[in-house]
Amino acid sequence: MSGKRQKRRQIALTFGEKSRRVESIEAAAGTESPAGTDRLMEEVCEAKNVRKALKKVQANKGAPGVDGMTVEQLSGFLRKHWPTIRDRLLDGSYEPKPVLKVEIPKPSGGTRQLGIPCVLDRFVQQAVMQVLQERWDSTFSERSYGFRPGRSAHQAVAQAQQYVAEGYEHVVDIDLEKFFDRVNHDMLMARVAKRVTDKRLLRLLRAFLKSGIMDGGLVSPPEEEGVPQGGPLSPLLSNLFLDDLDRELERRGHRFVRYADDCNVYVRSERAGHRVMETIKRYLGKKLKLKVNEKKSKVARANQVKFLGFKIIRSRKGPKRGIAKESLERFKRRVRELTGRSRGRSLDHLIEELSKYLAGWRGYYGHCETPKVLRDLDSWIRRRLRSYAWEQWATFPRRKTKLIGLGIRPGTASHMAWRGCSERGPWHMSRTKAMHQALDNRFFREHGLVSLVAT
């Protein structure tokens, strides 16, 4: 045996343990590179791929599934059981567990049903997704932006903005009714089978689709439709299924942007928009067995349509990215919850908690081109915090002492404290000159408040 092969055997470890079979070890270590799609399961089980999948699942965290295993327990479980799990994947006998039904509120009202796979199944799905995505992603449409490496919602909005700048100012806003619940399994698997010949992988994918949903301790019987939201494979499979729609829109020469099941087509006139809407509805119903939500779908000007939380607004210098009204209302509602005057937290703790939310929100909506909106929100947030502080100080002596400690003259502090106790409420007092001086912008910066305006 050559020294090189002996070295391969020494380093061919899977989660720190040697396999019982040299062939399986070498396959897991990546010494085999299947030429076709009939040995994709070997790529799924390759050591580098499964380590990457484990890190991704651990980074995503998430709740336990039906078996109660946590993300923190997954690594130890795999160190002990990975050889057996790999053998089941390679011989096609792996059986996923039912997904756990979870309902979460939608920003627009109502609830969205998620199916949370158990942690081990999430790990397997992630490993499968990585292999398939590497092969499939380059074949998808350039106008598909959702859940694809190197693509983002910001890029999708920028593309929409470009279409409007070119004169396509009317939008066919297509909302698919319960898309993830209506995907036909046979139609989806037929599209997968055109790209994959590995029967073990085909069986595994169908098993994930038919694993059932546990709700209240009872498992529902397998359905012929639906891709549970909550697993790593769902976004990739949805992109594969809707790639037919993308190709049809391209064939017709339409300008469009799709992000997951959110699709907008840009046309020059309202009349053209209604014509396109009708033809797309017929195509979706006949070819993909999908239904358009009549209440949420519409033809309108770009500045009247929300797309991924943004809207394209007119200006003298051309169309700009603005924040949709619904997004602003949702933001204010959350800030009101965080700064509610009855929460009983110190101002410093409140600012710390609020800043985490503001940082994430700015990371997404800071992409807008309407800085005045962000400045106005900053000003409103500081007023909320001044109002919160005034309410917390509560009594005449405490308010007077706090104001003096923050640099307000004693006479002014005494007058302010008296007014606040006898005449005016916290919201009114938050606008006074003295409160602006006491809790000025520098005070909030020094205490770590995140600004929505990039500095």
Side-chain angles (χ1 to χ4, degrees), residues 88-308:
R88 290 176 179 172
L89 290 169
L90 292 174
D91 67 20
S93 63
Y94 183 88
E95 291 290 343
K97 292 181 172 62
V99 298
L100 181 65
K101 179 181 178 180
V102 177
E103 291 187 348
I104 62 172
K106 291 182 179 180
S108 57
T111 59
R112 174 181 288 110
Q113 180 177 303
L114 298 183
I116 307 299
C118 67
V119 173
L120 178 60
D121 287 341
R122 291 210 295 270
F123 161 75
V124 173
Q125 284 194 34
Q126 180 66 33
V128 171
M129 187 277 291
Q130 290 167 179
V131 170
L132 296 182
Q133 187 173 65
E134 184 177 358
R135 289 174 173 266
W136 294 357
D137 190 74
S138 61
T139 70
F140 292 152
S141 169
E142 287 297 311
R143 295 297 170 254
S144 168
Y145 291 89
F147 308 109
R148 297 182 61 188
R151 290 171 172 264
S152 68
H154 292 160
Q155 292 174 334
V157 175
Q159 180 62 66
Q161 181 182 3
Q162 180 62 36
Y163 288 145
V164 175
E166 293 171 358
Y168 297 85
E169 298 184 353
H170 287 79
V171 184
V172 183
D173 184 13
I174 303 168
D175 185 278
L176 298 177
E177 187 172 289
K178 297 182 179 180
F179 166 72
F180 285 94
D181 296 334
R182 294 183 182 274
V183 173
N184 181 276
H185 291 173
D186 290 337
M187 295 178 69
L188 174 60
M189 289 306 302
R191 285 157 176 77
V192 175
K194 290 181 180 179
R195 298 167 178 252
V196 173
T197 57
D198 190 325
K199 294 182 179 180
R200 299 163 300 176
L201 186 52
L202 292 173
R203 182 185 179 281
L204 179 63
L205 291 174
R206 187 173 282 276
F208 277 124
L209 292 175
K210 295 192 173 292
S211 58
I213 298 176
M214 178 176 285
D215 182 15
L218 299 176
V219 179
S220 63
E223 299 284 349
E224 296 300 323
E225 293 182 340
V227 178
Q229 296 184 70
L233 267 171
S234 298
L236 178 64
L237 293 178
S238 67
N239 274 334
L240 174 64
F241 196 75
L242 289 175
D243 191 57
D244 282 25
L245 172 62
D246 297 340
R247 299 308 178 186
E248 179 65 16
L249 293 174
E250 289 175 349
R251 187 186 68 79
R252 298 182 185 184
H254 291 312
R255 289 154 178 81
F256 71 97
V257 181
R258 184 176 65 79
Y259 192 95
D261 58 335
D262 197 347
C263 183
N264 281 358
V265 183
Y266 294 82
V267 296
R268 290 190 181 275
S269 69
E270 183 177 358
R271 182 179 179 182
H274 287 293
R275 183 174 64 249
V276 170
M277 175 70 83
E278 290 304 313
T279 58
I280 292 176
K281 284 163 58 177
R282 286 197 297 270
Y283 174 83
L284 288 169
K286 183 177 180 180
K287 298 294 184 180
L288 300 181
K289 296 184 179 180
L290 295 175
K291 186 177 180 181
V292 171
N293 189 322
E294 300 286 352
K295 292 182 179 179
K296 295 184 179 181
S297 301
K298 60 183 177 180
V299 176
R301 287 191 173 274
N303 61 355
Q304 299 173 328
V305 174
K306 180 185 71 170
F307 183 52
L308 302 176

Side-chain angles (χ1 to χ4, degrees), residues 7-18:
K7 185 176 180 181
R8 281 180 180 171
R9 286 196 174 191
Q10 291 172 348
I11 65 173
L13 303 176
T14 307
F15 299 102
E17 294 186 359
K18 291 186 177 181

Side-chain angles (χ1 to χ4, degrees), residues 345-379:
R345 305 193 68 183
S346 71
L347 187 61
D348 283 342
H349 284 150
L350 183 67
I351 289 174
E352 181 181 358
E353 183 180 4
L354 177 63
S355 290
K356 292 178 182 178
Y357 173 69
L358 297 179
W361 195 88
R362 184 183 68 180
Y364 186 77
Y365 288 101
H367 185 68
C368 76
E369 296 174 321
T370 51
K372 184 180 183 302
V373 173
L374 300 180
R375 289 195 298 269
D376 289 346
L377 289 175
D378 265 351
S379 179

